[in-house]
Amino acid sequence: MKIQPEYNNVAMTGKGWSFFKSSIKQKIIDAVPQATIKDGAKKIERWKSIDEKISKPAENRLIMGATALVTQPVIDYNNHKVDKETRRVSRNRTIAKILAGTGVGIVVRGSCYSLVNKMTELDSKGKYSKALIPESYIDKFSKTIKFLRNYKSALSTGLAILAMCITNFAIDAPLTVYLTNKLNAKTDPARLKNKEGNNG
């Protein structure tokens, strides 16, 4: 792979800064050994299956939620710019927000994907099986399944975003407050101290 040098009107010295940058990039690329990955048909199909699953809106939201749950509360609780009590409450609110958002997001996105899936079935002869497929795209979708799959994901994500404009206020916000209060009560230092005293 060759990088074409970029030339600017203003050069630093010699052949110019852009040429120097391109040369450095090319040296790095040249230093990386070239290799190809050889996989059997079964392994390739497995990777395709994984790709298909994680690209679905609900599964995608679950992955984002799990990642956030592992990282964000830790960051909040280790923010030493605020006092310990603020860190505790902030961590609890973050956990509650992630749990509420992920739970509702999975339900909404999964429902939207299921609805879109039923209304974009090329092989079905149901009344609404092709209701969400533009007529001009039916032939293209039948030839390229991946294109249809991407269309379903994009359409269901769009519908889910519209639905979540309502659920964010109607469900997410109250649920976040409820879970935050529960976590605050469970992790209250005074309550934990009394519990330890009673056990002792």
Side-chain angles (χ1 to χ4, degrees):
M1 189 172 115
K2 295 288 181 185
I3 295 175
Q4 296 297 323
E6 298 170 13
Y7 294 99
N8 295 330
N9 292 332
V10 180
M12 290 176 67
T13 54
K15 292 185 178 179
W17 175 245
S18 295
F19 182 82
F20 177 73
K21 281 197 304 181
S22 297
S23 298
I24 295 295
K25 286 178 187 176
Q26 188 62 57
K27 286 187 186 300
I28 292 168
I29 289 168
D30 290 342
V32 176
Q34 292 184 4
T36 55
I37 298 169
K38 292 181 181 178
D39 278 336
K42 284 185 179 179
K43 211 167 188 180
I44 290 168
E45 283 303 315
R46 199 182 309 134
W47 281 113
K48 281 183 180 177
S49 176
I50 291 167
D51 173 60
E52 187 180 338
K53 283 177 183 175
I54 65 174
S55 64
K56 288 180 182 176
E59 284 80 349
N60 195 267
R61 185 67 185 88
L62 177 62
I63 292 166
M64 288 192 297
T67 305
L69 193 61
V70 171
T71 57
Q72 290 182 16
V74 176
I75 293 167
D76 281 355
Y77 198 63
N78 287 284
N79 178 16
H80 295 291
K81 291 182 180 179
V82 294
D83 60 87
K84 194 173 182 180
E85 179 61 15
T86 304
R87 292 203 306 268
R88 180 182 72 86
V89 174
S90 178
R91 177 202 61 195
N92 291 345
R93 180 167 175 76
T94 298
I95 292 170
K97 196 173 180 180
I98 293 167
L99 290 175
T102 302
V104 175
I106 288 169
V107 171
V108 171
R109 289 175 189 230
S111 300
C112 288
Y113 186 83
S114 181
L115 177 67
V116 167
N117 200 38
K118 285 178 182 176
M119 299 176 80
T120 54
E121 292 180 334
L122 292 170
D123 299 328
S124 177
K125 292 182 179 178
K127 190 177 179 182
Y128 300 105
S129 61
K130 297 180 187 71
L132 295 176
I133 301 178
E135 283 187 28
S136 56
Y137 280 87
I138 290 176
D139 189 48
K140 192 172 185 178
F141 285 152
S142 61
K143 290 176 181 176
T144 314
I145 300 301
K146 190 174 181 180
F147 188 43
L148 176 61
R149 193 166 66 234
N150 291 341
Y151 174 77
K152 287 179 181 183
S153 292
L155 186 58
S156 58
T157 300
L159 287 174
I161 288 168
L162 290 174
M164 285 187 287
C165 289
I166 298 167
T167 59
N168 278 350
F169 298 101
I171 303 172
D172 285 43
L175 186 57
T176 298
V177 172
Y178 173 79
L179 291 173
T180 302
N181 290 337
K182 284 283 184 184
L183 287 168
N184 285 341
K186 288 270 186 186
T187 60
D188 182 31
R191 180 179 174 276
L192 292 172
K193 196 173 181 181
N194 288 338
K195 194 175 180 180
E196 284 175 8
N198 292 334
N199 290 337

